Coordinates of all heavy atoms in Angstrom, one line a residue:
M1 N 46.6 49.7 131.0 CA 45.5 50.0 130.1 C 44.4 49.0 130.3 O 44.6 47.8 130.2 CB 46.0 50.1 128.7 CG 45.2 51.2 127.9 SD 45.5 51.2 126.1 CE 47.3 50.7 126.1
T2 N 43.1 49.5 130.5 CA 42.0 48.5 130.6 C 41.4 48.2 129.3 O 41.6 48.9 128.3 CB 40.9 49.1 131.5 OG1 40.4 50.2 130.8 CG2 41.4 49.5 132.9
E3 N 40.6 47.1 129.2 CA 40.0 46.8 127.9 C 39.0 47.9 127.4 O 39.0 48.1 126.3 CB 39.1 45.4 128.1 CG 39.9 44.2 128.1 CD 40.8 44.0 126.8 OE1 40.2 44.3 125.7 OE2 42.0 43.7 126.8
A4 N 38.4 48.5 128.4 CA 37.5 49.6 128.1 C 38.3 50.8 127.4 O 37.8 51.3 126.4 CB 36.7 50.1 129.3
Q5 N 39.4 51.1 128.0 CA 40.3 52.1 127.4 C 40.7 51.7 125.9 O 40.8 52.6 125.1 CB 41.5 52.4 128.2 CG 41.2 53.2 129.5 CD 42.3 53.3 130.4 OE1 43.1 52.4 130.6 NE2 42.5 54.5 130.9
K6 N 41.1 50.5 125.8 CA 41.5 50.0 124.4 C 40.4 50.2 123.4 O 40.6 50.6 122.3 CB 41.9 48.5 124.5 CG 43.2 48.3 125.2 CD 43.5 46.8 125.2 CE 44.8 46.5 126.1 NZ 45.0 45.1 126.3
Q7 N 39.2 49.8 123.8 CA 38.0 49.9 122.9 C 37.8 51.5 122.6 O 37.5 51.8 121.5 CB 36.8 49.4 123.6 CG 36.6 47.9 123.5 CD 36.8 47.4 122.0 OE1 36.2 47.9 121.1 NE2 37.7 46.4 121.8
E8 N 37.9 52.2 123.6 CA 37.7 53.7 123.4 C 38.8 54.3 122.5 O 38.5 55.1 121.7 CB 37.9 54.3 124.8 CG 37.3 55.8 124.9 CD 35.8 55.8 124.8 OE1 35.1 54.7 124.8 OE2 35.3 56.9 124.5
I9 N 40.0 53.8 122.6 CA 41.1 54.3 121.7 C 40.7 54.0 120.3 O 40.8 54.8 119.4 CB 42.5 53.6 122.1 CG1 43.0 54.2 123.4 CG2 43.5 53.9 121.0 CD1 44.2 53.5 123.9
L10 N 40.2 52.7 120.0 CA 39.9 52.3 118.7 C 38.7 53.1 118.1 O 38.7 53.5 117.0 CB 39.6 50.8 118.6 CG 40.8 49.9 118.9 CD1 40.3 48.4 119.0 CD2 41.8 50.0 117.8
T11 N 37.8 53.4 119.0 CA 36.5 54.1 118.6 C 37.0 55.5 118.3 O 36.7 56.1 117.2 CB 35.5 54.2 119.8 OG1 35.3 52.8 120.2 CG2 34.2 54.8 119.3
L12 N 37.8 56.2 119.1 CA 38.2 57.5 118.9 C 39.1 57.7 117.6 O 39.0 58.6 116.8 CB 39.0 58.1 120.1 CG 38.2 58.3 121.3 CD1 39.1 58.5 122.5 CD2 37.2 59.6 121.1
K13 N 39.9 56.7 117.3 CA 40.8 56.6 116.2 C 39.9 56.5 114.9 O 40.3 57.2 113.9 CB 41.8 55.5 116.2 CG 42.9 55.6 115.2 CD 44.0 56.7 115.6 CE 44.9 56.8 114.5 NZ 44.6 58.0 113.6
S14 N 39.0 55.6 115.0 CA 38.1 55.5 113.7 C 37.3 56.7 113.5 O 36.9 56.9 112.3 CB 37.2 54.2 114.0 OG 36.3 54.5 114.9
K15 N 37.2 57.6 114.5 CA 36.5 58.8 114.2 C 37.4 59.9 113.7 O 37.0 61.1 113.5 CB 35.7 59.3 115.4 CG 34.5 58.5 115.8 CD 33.9 58.9 117.1 CE 32.7 58.1 117.4 NZ 32.3 58.3 118.8
G16 N 38.7 59.5 113.6 CA 39.7 60.5 113.0 C 40.4 61.3 114.1 O 41.0 62.3 113.6
N17 N 40.3 60.9 115.3 CA 41.1 61.7 116.3 C 42.6 61.4 116.2 O 43.0 60.3 115.9 CB 40.6 61.4 117.7 CG 39.2 61.9 118.0 OD1 39.1 63.1 118.2 ND2 38.2 61.0 117.9
S18 N 43.4 62.4 116.6 CA 44.8 62.2 116.5 C 45.3 61.5 117.8 O 44.5 61.4 118.8 CB 45.6 63.6 116.5 OG 45.3 64.3 117.6
Y19 N 46.5 60.9 117.8 CA 47.1 60.2 119.0 C 47.0 61.2 120.2 O 46.6 60.8 121.2 CB 48.6 59.9 118.7 CG 48.8 58.9 117.7 CD1 49.8 59.1 116.8 CD2 48.0 57.8 117.6 CE1 50.0 58.1 115.8 CE2 48.2 56.8 116.6 CZ 49.3 57.0 115.7 OH 49.5 56.1 114.7
R20 N 47.4 62.4 120.0 CA 47.5 63.4 121.1 C 46.1 63.6 121.7 O 46.0 63.6 122.9 CB 48.1 64.7 120.5 CG 48.2 65.7 121.6 CD 49.0 66.9 121.1 NE 50.4 66.7 120.9 CZ 51.3 66.8 122.0 NH1 50.9 67.2 123.1 NH2 52.5 66.6 121.8
R21 N 45.1 63.8 120.8 CA 43.9 64.1 121.3 C 43.2 62.9 122.1 O 42.6 63.1 123.1 CB 42.9 64.5 120.1 CG 41.6 64.9 120.6 CD 40.8 65.6 119.5 NE 39.4 65.7 119.9 CZ 38.9 66.5 120.8 NH1 39.7 67.2 121.5 NH2 37.6 66.5 121.2
I22 N 43.4 61.7 121.6 CA 43.0 60.5 122.2 C 43.7 60.4 123.7 O 43.0 60.1 124.7 CB 43.3 59.2 121.4 CG1 42.5 59.3 120.1 CG2 43.0 57.9 122.2 CD1 43.0 58.2 119.1
A23 N 45.0 60.6 123.7 CA 45.7 60.6 124.9 C 45.2 61.5 125.9 O 45.0 61.2 127.1 CB 47.2 60.9 124.7
V24 N 44.8 62.7 125.5 CA 44.3 63.8 126.4 C 43.0 63.3 126.9 O 42.7 63.4 128.1 CB 44.3 65.2 125.7 CG1 43.4 66.2 126.5 CG2 45.7 65.7 125.4
L25 N 42.1 62.9 126.0 CA 40.7 62.5 126.3 C 40.7 61.4 127.3 O 39.8 61.3 128.1 CB 39.9 62.1 125.0 CG 39.5 63.3 124.1 CD1 38.9 62.7 122.8 CD2 38.5 64.2 124.8
L26 N 41.6 60.4 127.2 CA 41.6 59.3 128.1 C 42.6 59.4 129.2 O 42.8 58.4 130.0 CB 41.9 58.0 127.3 CG 40.8 57.7 126.2 CD1 41.2 56.4 125.4 CD2 39.4 57.6 126.7
S27 N 43.3 60.5 129.3 CA 44.3 60.7 130.4 C 45.3 59.6 130.3 O 45.7 59.0 131.3 CB 43.7 60.8 131.8 OG 42.5 61.7 131.7
L28 N 45.8 59.3 129.1 CA 46.8 58.3 129.0 C 48.1 59.0 128.4 O 47.9 59.9 127.6 CB 46.4 57.2 128.0 CG 45.4 56.2 128.6 CD1 44.9 55.4 127.4 CD2 46.0 55.3 129.7
P29 N 49.3 58.4 128.6 CA 50.4 59.0 127.9 C 50.3 58.8 126.5 O 49.9 57.8 126.0 CB 51.6 58.1 128.5 CG 51.1 57.4 129.6 CD 49.6 57.3 129.5
E30 N 50.8 59.8 125.7 CA 50.6 59.8 124.2 C 51.3 58.5 123.6 O 50.8 57.9 122.7 CB 51.1 61.1 123.6 CG 50.8 61.2 122.1 CD 51.3 62.5 121.6 OE1 51.6 63.4 122.3 OE2 51.4 62.5 120.2
N31 N 52.5 58.2 124.2 CA 53.2 57.0 123.7 C 52.5 55.7 123.9 O 52.6 54.8 123.0 CB 54.6 57.0 124.4 CG 55.6 57.9 123.7 OD1 55.4 58.2 122.5 ND2 56.5 58.4 124.5
T32 N 51.7 55.6 124.9 CA 50.9 54.4 125.1 C 49.9 54.2 124.1 O 49.7 53.2 123.5 CB 50.2 54.5 126.6 OG1 51.2 54.8 127.5 CG2 49.5 53.2 126.9
V33 N 49.2 55.3 123.8 CA 48.2 55.3 122.7 C 48.8 54.9 121.4 O 48.4 54.0 120.7 CB 47.5 56.7 122.6 CG1 46.6 56.8 121.4 CG2 46.8 57.0 123.9
K34 N 50.0 55.5 121.1 CA 50.7 55.4 119.9 C 51.1 53.9 119.7 O 50.8 53.3 118.6 CB 52.0 56.2 119.8 CG 52.0 57.2 118.7 CD 53.3 58.0 118.7 CE 53.1 59.4 118.9 NZ 54.3 60.3 118.9
S35 N 51.8 53.3 120.7 CA 52.2 52.0 120.6 C 51.1 50.9 120.5 O 51.2 49.9 119.9 CB 53.3 51.6 121.8 OG 52.6 51.8 122.9
F36 N 50.1 51.2 121.2 CA 48.9 50.4 121.2 C 48.3 50.3 119.8 O 48.0 49.2 119.2 CB 47.8 50.8 122.2 CG 46.5 50.2 122.0 CD1 46.3 48.8 122.3 CD2 45.4 50.8 121.4 CE1 45.1 48.1 122.1 CE2 44.2 50.2 121.2 CZ 44.1 48.9 121.5
L37 N 48.1 51.5 119.2 CA 47.5 51.5 117.9 C 48.5 50.9 116.8 O 48.0 50.3 115.9 CB 47.2 53.0 117.5 CG 45.9 53.5 118.1 CD1 45.8 55.0 117.9 CD2 44.7 52.7 117.6
R38 N 49.7 51.1 117.0 CA 50.7 50.5 116.0 C 50.6 49.0 116.1 O 50.6 48.3 115.1 CB 52.1 51.0 116.4 CG 53.0 51.0 115.2 CD 54.4 51.7 115.5 NE 54.2 53.1 115.8 CZ 55.0 53.7 116.7 NH1 56.0 53.0 117.3 NH2 54.9 55.0 117.0
R39 N 50.5 48.5 117.3 CA 50.5 47.0 117.5 C 49.1 46.5 116.9 O 49.1 45.5 116.2 CB 50.5 46.7 119.0 CG 51.1 45.4 119.4 CD 51.5 45.3 120.9 NE 50.4 45.8 121.7 CZ 50.6 46.7 122.7 NH1 51.8 47.1 123.0 NH2 49.7 47.1 123.4
E40 N 48.1 47.2 117.2 CA 46.7 46.9 116.7 C 46.7 46.8 115.2 O 46.1 45.9 114.6 CB 45.7 47.9 117.2 CG 44.3 47.4 117.2 CD 44.0 46.3 118.2 OE1 44.8 46.0 119.1 OE2 43.1 45.5 118.0
H41 N 47.4 47.8 114.6 CA 47.4 47.9 113.1 C 48.1 46.7 112.5 O 47.6 46.1 111.5 CB 48.1 49.2 112.7 CG 48.0 49.5 111.3 ND1 46.8 49.8 110.7 CD2 48.9 49.4 110.3 CE1 47.1 50.0 109.4 NE2 48.3 49.8 109.2
K42 N 49.2 46.3 113.1 CA 50.0 45.2 112.6 C 49.1 44.0 112.7 O 49.1 43.2 111.7 CB 51.2 45.0 113.5 CG 52.4 45.4 112.8 CD 53.7 45.0 113.6 CE 54.8 46.1 113.5 NZ 55.8 46.0 114.6
Q43 N 48.4 43.8 113.8 CA 47.6 42.6 113.9 C 46.4 42.6 112.9 O 46.3 41.5 112.3 CB 47.0 42.6 115.3 CG 47.9 41.9 116.3 CD 47.4 42.0 117.7 OE1 46.4 42.5 118.0 NE2 48.2 41.6 118.6
S44 N 45.9 43.7 112.6 CA 44.8 43.7 111.7 C 45.2 43.4 110.2 O 44.5 42.9 109.4 CB 44.0 45.0 111.8 OG 44.8 46.1 111.4
D45 N 46.5 43.7 110.0 CA 47.1 43.4 108.7 C 47.2 42.0 108.4 O 47.0 41.5 107.3 CB 48.5 44.0 108.6 CG 48.5 45.5 108.1 OD1 47.4 46.0 107.8 OD2 49.6 46.1 108.0
K46 N 47.5 41.3 109.5 CA 47.6 39.8 109.3 C 46.3 39.1 109.5 O 46.3 37.9 109.2 CB 48.6 39.3 110.5 CG 50.1 39.6 110.1 CD 50.9 39.2 111.2 CE 52.3 39.6 111.1 NZ 53.1 39.5 112.4
S47 N 45.3 39.7 109.9 CA 44.1 38.9 110.2 C 43.4 38.4 109.0 O 42.7 37.4 109.1 CB 43.2 39.8 111.0 OG 42.7 40.9 110.3
G48 N 43.6 39.0 107.8 CA 43.1 38.5 106.5 C 41.6 38.5 106.5 O 41.0 37.4 106.5
I49 N 41.1 39.7 106.6 CA 39.6 39.9 106.4 C 39.3 40.7 105.2 O 40.0 41.7 104.9 CB 39.1 40.5 107.7 CG1 39.2 39.5 108.9 CG2 37.7 41.0 107.5 CD1 38.9 40.1 110.3
C50 N 38.4 40.2 104.5 CA 38.0 41.0 103.3 C 37.6 42.5 103.6 O 36.8 42.7 104.5 CB 36.8 40.3 102.7 SG 36.1 41.2 101.2
R51 N 38.2 43.4 102.9 CA 38.0 44.7 103.2 C 36.5 45.2 102.8 O 36.1 46.3 103.3 CB 38.9 45.7 102.4 CG 40.3 45.7 103.1 CD 41.4 46.2 102.1 NE 41.4 47.6 102.0 CZ 42.3 48.3 101.3 NH1 43.2 47.6 100.7 NH2 42.3 49.5 101.3
N52 N 35.9 44.4 102.0 CA 34.5 44.8 101.6 C 33.5 44.2 102.5 O 32.6 44.9 103.0 CB 34.3 44.4 100.1 CG 32.9 44.9 99.7 OD1 32.7 46.1 99.7 ND2 32.1 44.0 99.2
C53 N 33.5 42.9 102.7 CA 32.4 42.2 103.5 C 32.9 41.7 104.8 O 32.1 41.1 105.5 CB 31.8 41.1 102.6 SG 32.9 39.8 102.3
N54 N 34.2 41.8 105.2 CA 34.7 41.3 106.5 C 34.8 39.8 106.6 O 34.8 39.3 107.7 CB 34.0 42.0 107.6 CG 34.2 43.5 107.8 OD1 35.3 43.9 107.3 ND2 33.3 44.2 108.3
K55 N 34.6 39.1 105.5 CA 34.6 37.7 105.5 C 36.1 37.2 105.8 O 37.0 37.9 105.2 CB 34.2 37.1 104.2 CG 33.7 35.6 104.3 CD 33.1 35.3 103.0 CE 34.0 34.3 102.2 NZ 33.4 33.8 101.0
K56 N 36.4 36.2 106.5 CA 37.7 35.7 106.7 C 38.3 35.2 105.5 O 37.7 34.4 104.7 CB 37.7 34.6 107.8 CG 39.0 34.4 108.4 CD 38.9 34.2 109.9 CE 40.3 33.8 110.5 NZ 41.5 34.3 109.8
L57 N 39.5 35.6 105.2 CA 40.1 35.1 104.0 C 41.1 34.0 104.3 O 41.7 33.9 105.3 CB 41.0 36.3 103.4 CG 40.3 37.6 103.0 CD1 41.3 38.6 102.6 CD2 39.3 37.3 101.8
E58 N 41.2 33.1 103.3 CA 42.1 32.0 103.4 C 43.5 32.5 103.1 O 43.8 33.2 102.1 CB 41.7 31.0 102.3 CG 41.7 29.6 102.8 CD 41.3 28.6 101.7 OE1 40.1 28.8 101.2 OE2 42.1 27.9 101.2
L59 N 44.4 32.2 104.0 CA 45.8 32.7 103.8 C 46.6 31.6 103.2 O 46.6 30.4 103.7 CB 46.4 33.2 105.1 CG 45.7 34.4 105.8 CD1 46.3 34.7 107.1 CD2 45.9 35.6 104.8
I60 N 47.3 31.9 102.1 CA 48.2 31.0 101.5 C 49.6 31.2 101.8 O 50.1 32.3 101.6 CB 48.0 30.9 100.0 CG1 46.4 30.9 99.6 CG2 48.8 29.9 99.3 CD1 46.1 31.5 98.2
P61 N 50.3 30.3 102.5 CA 51.7 30.6 102.9 C 52.6 31.0 101.7 O 52.4 30.4 100.7 CB 52.1 29.2 103.5 CG 50.9 28.5 103.9 CD 49.9 29.0 102.9
K62 N 53.4 31.9 102.0 CA 54.4 32.4 101.0 C 53.7 33.2 99.8 O 54.3 33.6 98.8 CB 55.2 31.3 100.4 CG 56.3 30.7 101.3 CD 57.0 29.6 100.8 CE 57.9 28.9 101.9 NZ 58.4 27.7 101.4
H63 N 52.4 33.5 100.0 CA 51.7 34.3 99.0 C 51.4 35.7 99.7 O 51.3 35.7 100.9 CB 50.4 33.6 98.6 CG 50.5 32.8 97.4 ND1 50.0 33.2 96.2 CD2 51.2 31.6 97.2 CE1 50.4 32.2 95.3 NE2 51.0 31.2 95.9
R64 N 51.3 36.6 98.9 CA 50.9 37.9 99.4 C 49.5 37.9 99.9 O 48.6 37.3 99.4 CB 50.9 39.0 98.2 CG 51.2 40.4 98.6 CD 51.6 41.2 97.5 NE 50.4 41.3 96.5 CZ 49.6 42.4 96.7 NH1 49.8 43.3 97.6 NH2 48.6 42.5 95.8
A65 N 49.4 38.5 101.1 CA 48.0 38.4 101.8 C 46.9 39.1 100.9 O 47.2 40.1 100.3 CB 48.1 39.2 103.1
K66 N 45.8 38.4 100.8 CA 44.8 38.9 99.9 C 44.0 40.0 100.8 O 44.0 40.0 102.0 CB 43.8 37.8 99.6 CG 44.4 36.9 98.5 CD 43.2 36.1 97.8 CE 42.6 35.0 98.8 NZ 41.7 34.2 98.1
T67 N 43.4 40.9 100.1 CA 42.6 41.9 100.8 C 41.1 41.8 100.5 O 40.3 42.3 101.2 CB 43.1 43.4 100.3 OG1 43.8 43.2 99.1 CG2 43.8 44.1 101.4
F68 N 40.8 41.0 99.5 CA 39.4 40.8 99.2 C 39.1 39.3 99.0 O 40.0 38.6 98.5 CB 39.0 41.5 97.9 CG 39.2 43.1 98.1 CD1 40.3 43.6 97.5 CD2 38.3 43.8 98.8 CE1 40.5 45.0 97.6 CE2 38.5 45.2 98.8 CZ 39.6 45.8 98.3
C69 N 37.9 38.9 99.4 CA 37.6 37.5 99.2 C 37.3 37.0 97.8 O 37.4 35.9 97.4 CB 36.4 37.0 100.2 SG 34.8 37.8 99.7
S70 N 36.9 38.0 97.0 CA 36.5 37.7 95.6 C 36.7 39.1 94.7 O 36.8 40.1 95.2 CB 35.1 37.2 95.5 OG 34.2 38.3 95.9
D71 N 36.7 38.8 93.4 CA 36.8 39.9 92.5 C 35.6 40.9 92.7 O 35.7 42.1 92.6 CB 36.8 39.4 91.0 CG 38.2 39.0 90.7 OD1 39.1 39.3 91.5 OD2 38.4 38.4 89.6
N72 N 34.4 40.2 92.9 CA 33.2 41.0 93.1 C 33.4 41.9 94.3 O 33.0 43.2 94.1 CB 32.1 40.0 93.4 CG 30.8 40.6 93.1 OD1 30.7 41.6 92.2 ND2 29.7 40.2 93.7
C73 N 34.0 41.5 95.4 CA 34.1 42.3 96.6 C 35.1 43.5 96.3 O 35.0 44.6 96.7 CB 34.7 41.6 97.8 SG 33.3 40.9 98.7
R74 N 36.2 43.2 95.5 CA 37.2 44.1 95.2 C 36.5 45.3 94.4 O 36.8 46.5 94.6 CB 38.3 43.4 94.4 CG 39.5 44.3 94.0 CD 40.6 43.5 93.5 NE 40.3 42.6 92.4 CZ 40.1 43.1 91.1 NH1 40.3 44.3 90.8 NH2 39.7 42.2 90.2
I75 N 35.8 44.9 93.4 CA 35.1 45.9 92.5 C 34.2 46.7 93.2 O 34.1 48.0 93.2 CB 34.4 45.2 91.3 CG1 35.5 44.5 90.4 CG2 33.6 46.1 90.5 CD1 35.0 43.4 89.5
T76 N 33.3 46.0 94.1 CA 32.4 46.8 94.9 C 33.1 47.8 95.9 O 32.7 48.9 96.0 CB 31.6 45.8 95.8 OG1 31.1 44.8 95.0 CG2 30.4 46.5 96.5
Y77 N 34.2 47.4 96.5 CA 34.9 48.2 97.3 C 35.5 49.5 96.7 O 35.3 50.5 97.2 CB 36.1 47.4 98.0 CG 36.9 48.2 99.0 CD1 36.6 48.4 100.3 CD2 38.2 48.7 98.5 CE1 37.3 49.1 101.1 CE2 38.9 49.5 99.4 CZ 38.6 49.7 100.7 OH 39.2 50.4 101.6
W78 N 36.2 49.3 95.6 CA 36.7 50.4 94.9 C 35.6 51.3 94.3 O 35.8 52.6 94.2 CB 37.6 50.0 93.8 CG 39.0 49.3 94.4 CD1 39.4 48.1 94.4 CD2 39.9 50.0 95.2 NE1 40.5 47.9 95.1 CE2 40.8 49.1 95.7 CE3 39.9 51.4 95.7 CZ2 41.9 49.4 96.5 CZ3 41.0 51.6 96.6 CH2 42.0 50.7 96.9
R79 N 34.5 50.7 93.9 CA 33.4 51.6 93.4 C 32.9 52.4 94.6 O 32.7 53.6 94.4 CB 32.3 50.6 92.9 CG 31.4 51.2 91.9 CD 30.5 50.2 91.3 NE 31.0 49.5 90.2 CZ 30.7 48.4 89.7 NH1 29.6 47.8 90.2 NH2 31.3 47.7 88.7
K80 N 32.8 51.8 95.8 CA 32.4 52.6 96.9 C 33.3 53.8 97.2 O 33.0 54.9 97.5 CB 32.3 51.7 98.2 CG 30.8 51.2 98.4 CD 30.7 50.6 99.8 CE 31.6 49.3 100.0 NZ 31.3 48.5 101.2
M81 N 34.7 53.4 97.1 CA 35.7 54.4 97.4 C 35.6 55.6 96.5 O 35.7 56.7 96.8 CB 37.1 53.7 97.3 CG 37.5 52.9 98.4 SD 37.9 53.8 99.9 CE 36.7 53.2 101.0
K82 N 35.4 55.2 95.2 CA 35.3 56.2 94.1 C 34.1 57.1 94.4 O 34.2 58.3 94.3 CB 35.2 55.6 92.8 CG 35.5 56.5 91.7 CD 35.5 55.8 90.3 CE 35.7 56.8 89.2 NZ 34.7 58.0 89.2
K83 N 33.0 56.5 94.7 CA 31.8 57.2 95.0 C 32.0 58.2 96.1 O 31.7 59.4 96.0 CB 30.7 56.2 95.4 CG 29.3 56.7 94.9 CD 28.4 55.5 95.2 CE 26.9 55.9 95.0 NZ 26.0 54.8 95.5
G84 N 32.7 57.8 97.2 CA 33.0 58.7 98.3 C 33.8 59.8 97.9 O 33.6 61.0 98.3
R85 N 34.8 59.5 97.1 CA 35.7 60.7 96.6 C 35.0 61.6 95.7 O 35.2 62.8 95.8 CB 36.9 60.0 95.8 CG 38.2 60.8 95.9 CD 39.3 59.9 95.5 NE 39.2 59.3 94.2 CZ 39.5 58.0 94.0 NH1 40.1 57.3 94.8 NH2 39.2 57.5 92.8
D86 N 34.1 61.1 94.9 CA 33.3 62.0 94.0 C 32.5 63.0 94.9 O 32.4 64.1 94.6 CB 32.4 61.2 93.1 CG 33.1 60.6 92.0 OD1 34.4 60.9 91.8 OD2 32.6 59.7 91.3
I87 N 31.9 62.4 95.9 CA 31.1 63.2 96.8 C 31.9 64.3 97.5 O 31.5 65.5 97.4 CB 30.3 62.3 97.8 CG1 29.3 61.5 97.1 CG2 29.7 63.2 99.0 CD1 28.7 60.4 98.0
N88 N 33.1 63.9 97.9 CA 33.9 64.9 98.6 C 34.4 66.0 97.5 O 34.4 67.2 98.0 CB 35.2 64.2 99.1 CG 34.9 63.5 100.4 OD1 33.9 63.9 101.1 ND2 35.7 62.5 100.7
E89 N 34.6 65.6 96.3 CA 35.0 66.6 95.3 C 33.9 67.6 95.1 O 34.1 68.8 94.9 CB 35.5 65.9 94.0 CG 36.9 65.5 94.0 CD 37.3 64.6 92.9 OE1 36.5 64.6 91.9 OE2 38.3 63.9 93.0
N90 N 32.7 67.0 95.0 CA 31.5 67.9 94.8 C 31.4 68.9 95.9 O 31.0 70.1 95.7 CB 30.2 67.1 94.6 CG 30.2 66.3 93.2 OD1 30.9 66.7 92.3 ND2 29.5 65.3 93.1
I91 N 31.5 68.5 97.1 CA 31.4 69.3 98.3 C 32.4 70.4 98.2 O 32.1 71.7 98.3 CB 31.5 68.5 99.6 CG1 30.3 67.6 99.8 CG2 31.6 69.4 100.8 CD1 30.4 66.6 100.8
S92 N 33.7 70.0 98.0 CA 34.7 71.1 98.0 C 34.6 72.1 96.8 O 34.9 73.2 96.9 CB 36.1 70.5 97.9 OG 36.3 69.7 96.8
R93 N 34.0 71.6 95.8 CA 33.7 72.5 94.6 C 32.5 73.5 95.0 O 32.6 74.6 94.6 CB 33.3 71.6 93.4 CG 34.1 72.0 92.1 CD 33.7 71.1 91.0 NE 34.6 69.9 90.9 CZ 34.2 68.7 90.5 NH1 32.9 68.5 90.2 NH2 35.0 67.8 90.4
A94 N 31.5 72.9 95.7 CA 30.4 73.8 96.0 C 30.8 74.9 97.0 O 30.3 76.0 97.0 CB 29.3 72.9 96.8
I95 N 31.9 74.6 97.8 CA 32.4 75.6 98.8 C 33.3 76.6 97.9 O 33.0 77.8 97.9 CB 33.2 75.0 99.9 CG1 32.3 74.1 100.7 CG2 33.9 76.0 100.8 CD1 33.1 73.0 101.5
Ligands
ZN101 ZN1 34.4 39.9 100.5

């Protein structure tokens, strides 16, 4: 797998494509795509980056990994999430 293909996989996945579809689009075996994304996911779990502002988080050994750098970011993030959900609900109601 080339670096370009890896980037392409991540881009396609972030757009919501399935493993199978990514594999077909890039002419790669589905298992290659699957194991790459699984590995990538594990790494990003450990990287310790604030989910709201992408700031690097300080990792405290033997402590649960933090997901946000501050309470402010946590609140902002969940507010954004809630907003997105409300919009989706409104759309499905309109249909
Ligand atoms: Zn933050």
Side-chain angles (χ1 to χ4, degrees):
M1 215 187 324
T2 64
E3 279 304 314
Q5 280 174 322
K6 288 178 188 175
Q7 278 310 312
E8 198 66 13
I9 290 173
L10 292 174
T11 310
L12 289 167
K13 189 80 186 91
S14 70
K15 286 177 185 166
N17 290 284
S18 65
Y19 295 137
R20 180 172 287 274
R21 186 160 165 73
I22 296 168
V24 170
L25 285 170
L26 299 180
S27 317
L28 287 167
E30 194 179 336
N31 279 334
T32 305
V33 175
K34 241 184 242 180
S35 58
F36 167 70
L37 282 170
R38 210 173 291 150
R39 207 162 48 223
E40 199 66 21
H41 187 69
K42 250 186 218 163
Q43 276 172 2
S44 62
D45 271 356
K46 279 181 192 163
S47 64
I49 287 169
C50 175
R51 279 163 81 177
N52 184 56
C53 68
N54 292 332
K55 201 174 107 176
K56 196 141 175 31
L57 298 174
E58 224 179 292
L59 293 175
I60 307 153
K62 289 178 186 171
H63 268 252
R64 207 164 68 90
K66 286 199 289 185
T67 11
F68 300 100
C69 67
S70 62
D71 279 350
N72 201 28
C73 268
R74 185 169 49 82
I75 293 159
T76 311
Y77 178 82
W78 289 116
R79 207 170 274 163
K80 263 194 295 194
M81 284 289 120
K82 193 178 180 303
K83 217 172 168 186
R85 210 163 48 217
D86 286 349
I87 289 165
N88 283 338
E89 274 171 19
N90 285 339
I91 289 166
S92 59
R93 233 176 265 144
I95 296 161

